[in-house]
């Protein structure tokens, strides 16, 4: 929503307060004041699909049918557990930085290689398809920034936060990562995360320094001016 300046009123509160405001007690939640039937949507993909339907002028899904199918397939894979081990073991921590001997399970390592391969495949196929069509390639997974990029955004953060290995990343995958970290609008979103991190009600203690019992793992915060190099 921030990337395309879709208007909304954010409600930033503690996790306990957020879940109490959600009808399903799950977050994220989007409350939509439809004139005839106000609704609340509490699944990330359902929220994004609603936004895509509400803003057909935006390229939330690729305009090309073939690329749209690829984007939907990638999002469906992610939504159905492509990175389950990464999600359950390595919590989303937008500011935290782990260095040292960060443990990586065999299952998580497989998921790392799998998602890196997927990012590379999407970029290669997108470049090929847009080349055929003579379309402009914005460097995102399927050309322009869209739902597929936003869906893998939390996974990309885990690569940064936990120093996940990039040894199997193709040049195409690395180029997408660079695009995501350096895009001006994404940089602004990252700065907003730092502002949110300064608010005590946004802290989730269970997500901070999850390897504090390991003496060879260090925990700190990333500087706001951090840049991606590979």
């Amino acid at each position: 929503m921030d990337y395309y300046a879709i208007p909304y009123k954010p409600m930033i509160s503690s996790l306990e307060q957020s879940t109490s405001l959600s009808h399903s007690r799950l977050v994220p939640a989007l409350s939509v004041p439809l004139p005839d039937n106000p609704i609340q949507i509490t699944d990330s993909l359902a929220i994004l699909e609603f936004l895509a339907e509400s803003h057909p002028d935006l390229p939330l899904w690729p305009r090309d049918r073939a690329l749209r199918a690829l984007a939907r397939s990638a999002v469906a894979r992610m939504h159905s557990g492509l990175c389950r081990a990464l999600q359950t073991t390595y919590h989303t921590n937008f500011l935290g930085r782990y260095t040292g001997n960060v443990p990586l399970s065999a299952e998580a390592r497989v998921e790392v290689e799998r998602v890196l391969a997927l990012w590379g495949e999407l970029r290669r196929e997108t470049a090929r398809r847009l080349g055929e069509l003579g379309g402009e390639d914005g460097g995102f997974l399927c050309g322009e920034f869209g739902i597929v990029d936003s869906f893998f955004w939390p996974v990309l953060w885990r690569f940064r936060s936990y120093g996940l290995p990039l040894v199997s990343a193709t040049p195409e995958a690395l180029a997408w990562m660079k695009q995501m970290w350096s895009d001006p609008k994404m940089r602004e979103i990252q700065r907003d995360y730092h502002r949110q991190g300064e608010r005590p009600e946004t802290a989730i203690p269970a997500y901070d320094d999850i390897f504090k019992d390991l003496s060879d793992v260090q925990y700190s915060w990333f500087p706001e001016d951090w840049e991606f190099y590979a």
Side-chain angles (χ1 to χ4, degrees):
M1 296 176 77
D2 288 325
Y3 193 91
Y4 285 114
I6 298 174
Y8 71 102
K9 181 181 178 181
M11 295 185 66
I12 300 176
S13 59
S14 68
L15 181 60
E16 292 76 13
Q17 291 172 320
S18 297
T19 53
S20 68
L21 293 171
S22 169
H23 297 166
S24 65
R25 302 192 66 80
L26 298 173
V27 290
L30 178 67
S31 295
V32 185
L34 297 177
D36 55 339
N37 183 31
I39 60 172
Q40 188 180 83
I41 311 169
T42 55
D43 176 85
S44 56
L45 181 53
I47 290 171
L48 291 168
E49 288 282 15
F50 176 83
L51 293 174
E53 291 180 359
S54 302
H55 301 275
D57 55 312
L58 299 177
L60 296 178
W61 289 118
R63 305 182 194 280
D64 174 66
R65 185 182 184 186
L67 291 179
R68 189 163 60 250
L70 289 176
R72 287 186 184 277
S73 176
V75 168
R77 289 180 64 187
M78 183 63 199
H79 200 48
S80 60
L82 177 69
C83 297
R84 194 175 306 280
L86 289 176
Q87 290 175 298
T88 56
T89 305
Y90 306 91
H91 304 302
T92 300
N93 187 331
F94 291 114
L95 305 183
R97 181 178 197 172
Y98 293 87
T99 54
N101 189 25
V102 179
L104 184 65
S105 68
E107 184 179 10
R109 189 176 299 277
V110 168
E111 291 181 355
V112 163
E113 295 178 355
R114 187 180 296 152
V115 76
L116 287 173
L118 176 59
W119 293 344
E121 291 166 6
L122 285 172
R123 280 300 307 144
R124 284 193 298 275
E125 184 59 26
T126 294
R128 184 195 66 78
R129 179 62 176 166
L130 291 177
E132 291 177 350
L133 299 173
E136 184 176 349
D137 189 348
F140 292 101
L141 285 176
C142 290
E144 298 178 89
F145 181 85
I147 289 174
V148 64
D149 301 284
S150 66
F151 231 72
F152 285 105
W153 180 232
V155 181
L156 181 59
W157 274 94
R158 286 173 169 86
F159 273 86
R160 184 181 92 143
S161 297
Y162 299 97
L164 299 178
L166 298 175
V167 291
S168 66
T170 63
E172 294 87 354
L174 292 173
W176 172 74
M177 297 172 78
K178 177 69 173 178
Q179 174 70 18
M180 288 289 285
W181 288 121
S182 61
D183 179 82
K185 291 183 180 179
M186 298 304 292
R187 296 286 292 183
E188 185 60 34
I189 291 171
Q190 294 167 53
R191 285 190 285 271
D192 288 344
Y193 289 156
H194 277 269
R195 301 290 78 76
Q196 292 179 31
E198 296 169 354
R199 302 176 60 166
E201 68 269 25
T202 66
I204 304 177
Y207 286 11
D208 285 333
D209 200 4
I210 63 173
F211 298 118
K212 56 180 175 292
D213 295 330
L214 301 179
S215 60
D216 55 351
V217 177
Q218 296 77 47
Y219 178 73
S220 60
W221 272 20
F222 277 96
E224 192 170 336
D225 60 353
W226 176 87
E227 293 188 18
F228 174 77
Y229 296 98

